[in-house]
Amino acid sequence: MSTTTDQTQPPPTAPDDAALKARHRAMWALGDYAAVAREVIAPLGPIVVEAAGIGPGQRVHDVAAGSGNVALPAARTGAEVVATDLTSELLERGREAAEAEALTITWVAADAEHLPCDDGEFDTVVSCVGVMFAPHHEAVADQLVRVVRRGGTIALLSWTPEGFIGQMFAAMKPYAPPLPTGAQPPPLWGHVDHVRDLFGDRVRIESAVQQDLVVDLFATPQHFVDFFKANYGPTIAVYRHIADDPGRVAALDADLLALAERFDRGSGATVLDWEYLLLTATRT
């Protein structure tokens, strides 16, 4: 993996973009996202590995890897894995988990919009509810295409706008700061048409399916609200933004609770279906 960039890379990060990325980095370090990855969405990593056909000897890049939800199961197959993420605290949690299993993974702090990799360096590039949160979607798509070899695989798993997490972000939007100029909403990655527009004819989409992650961790809808207020960086950041307004805090509490109650299909324990788009493509 190279630490240099070539002439096709985006220009150096502007000061305002650097400040935006610093805020993103700090947001994802809030709470305990590793607990969310481990306790709530752990099944998604192996789903991406299987969809991408990852196996022994393949060179795999997990972009916006967090604490290794895809990187860890990919490494278990015998693949050569590089995991990058903007937030070094999350990478450290992944490194600890990999060491506990004696898995070899290269962990690198890097911006998904400016990957420090050579052109065509990887056989497979993947991201699981990761790159969707980078603010500039076209810049991310350009990087995903650039670092995978021709004929290689791109596999992405993203929350849909209509699904539970997409609707959670919609519920939080009135309480959050406005998106910076040029930034796009993360759940757009959950629409295949949006992804197709981003990649254009640089890839051939092989499959795009909407599926549900069944989440039965939470005893009650209130348990979900409490867990996300304590552990999920974007939720924590929104609550901090309105912390000096108790009325708005109470209103957001009520909106998130109503969301969980609306999606709850359990009888007794809470059961939530979190819809995502699983997309695989081949670089042309």
Side-chain angles (χ1 to χ4, degrees):
M1 179 169 180
S2 171
T3 57
T4 61
T5 59
D6 66 18
Q7 307 246 340
T8 64
Q9 287 272 40
T13 305
D16 56 344
D17 190 55
L20 171 61
K21 299 302 171 55
R23 292 195 297 273
H24 272 243
R25 186 182 302 113
M27 177 184 70
W28 287 104
L30 295 172
D32 189 357
Y33 182 75
V36 178
R38 182 180 63 251
E39 298 176 25
V40 187
I41 65 169
L44 298 181
I47 288 171
V48 174
V49 169
E50 181 179 3
I54 293 172
Q58 290 187 15
R59 298 167 299 157
V60 176
H61 189 169
D62 183 8
V63 186
S67 53
N69 198 15
V70 179
L72 292 165
R76 293 183 194 120
T77 73
E80 301 172 15
V81 181
V82 172
T84 58
D85 196 273
L86 193 64
T87 304
S88 57
E89 291 89 341
L90 296 181
L91 295 176
E92 184 57 35
R93 297 292 296 275
R95 182 181 291 109
E96 293 169 357
E99 289 176 353
E101 293 188 49
L103 295 172
T104 300
I105 299 173
T106 301
W107 305 89
V108 180
D111 181 354
E113 298 178 12
H114 305 279
L115 294 173
C117 309
D118 292 330
D119 293 357
E121 186 172 344
F122 298 96
D123 301 308
T124 306
V125 175
V126 298
S127 188
C128 179
V129 296
V131 296
M132 66 178 292
F133 291 102
H136 307 115
H137 296 187
E138 186 64 50
V140 171
D142 291 348
Q143 290 295 291
L144 297 178
V145 172
R146 185 183 66 80
V147 303
V148 71
R149 64 170 175 81
R150 294 190 182 279
T153 298
I154 297 174
L156 304 174
L157 190 152
S158 308
W159 303 121
T160 66
E162 301 83 7
F164 182 84
I165 296 298
Q167 289 297 295
M168 183 188 76
F169 277 92
M172 294 193 299
K173 183 178 178 179
Y175 306 92
L179 286 175
T181 301
Q184 293 174 281
L188 286 179
W189 283 91
H191 275 169
V192 65
D193 288 343
H194 180 68
V195 181
R196 184 180 288 111
D197 288 343
L198 291 173
F199 287 130
D201 61 4
R202 297 176 296 177
V203 308
R204 180 178 65 253
I205 294 179
E206 306 291 355
S207 67
V209 294
Q210 290 183 340
Q211 301 176 164
D212 290 328
L213 172 69
V214 178
V215 177
D216 57 5
L217 169 72
F218 306 113
T220 64
Q222 185 63 52
H223 182 201
F224 155 76
V225 175
D226 294 340
F227 183 90
F228 265 59
K229 287 178 67 173
N231 294 292
Y232 193 61
T235 304
I236 296 169
V238 173
Y239 272 99
R240 288 191 176 185
H241 179 65
I242 60 173
D244 60 351
D245 189 336
R248 296 190 77 199
V249 170
L252 179 54
D253 283 341
D255 287 349
L256 291 180
L257 181 60
L259 172 73
E261 290 174 341
R262 174 161 60 91
F263 274 80
D264 183 10
R265 62 173 176 83
S267 55
T270 292
V271 179
L272 305 170
D273 295 325
W274 292 9
E275 185 182 67
Y276 59 85
L277 173 70
L278 177 63
L279 182 143
T280 60
T282 301
R283 184 187 171 190
T284 56

